[in-house]
Amino acid sequence: MSRRRNSNTLVVQQARAALDQMKYEVAQELGIQIPQDGYYGYMATRDTGALGGNITRRLVQLAEQQLTGGIRR
């Protein structure tokens, strides 16, 4: 089995805590249990995909709000 290197390096290292908090919030909203040991290998692909998709959706919404000055349509 080959080992993958994580290419998801943060540009702003201080954002790690905020991203982790968002991950736990989204997981709680979806009713997904995040493994305590950090190993996602035993999670269902559907759950990890839903978690990542919802985090991405929320990040896009935050970026759109910043670009529009907080104006919601």
Side-chain angles (χ1 to χ4, degrees):
M1 184 190 288
S2 67
R3 288 185 164 220
R4 288 182 6 159
R5 285 191 290 159
N6 189 353
S7 63
N8 297 330
T9 57
L10 294 177
V11 176
V12 180
Q13 291 299 320
Q14 296 82 357
R16 183 173 310 281
L19 290 170
D20 282 341
Q21 179 65 32
M22 183 181 295
K23 175 175 57 176
Y24 286 104
E25 288 174 8
V26 170
Q28 185 176 16
E29 290 172 9
L30 297 174
I32 297 172
Q33 185 72 19
I34 294 181
Q36 294 297 321
D37 62 1
Y39 179 67
Y40 290 84
Y42 297 120
M43 285 182 66
T45 304
R46 179 183 206 107
D47 290 343
T48 56
L51 185 58
N54 280 280
I55 290 170
T56 302
R57 185 176 299 118
R58 190 174 291 185
L59 288 171
V60 169
Q61 288 172 344
L62 288 170
E64 287 175 344
Q65 288 173 3
Q66 275 194 322
L67 288 172
T68 60
I71 301 170
R72 296 189 88 179
R73 293 180 243 173

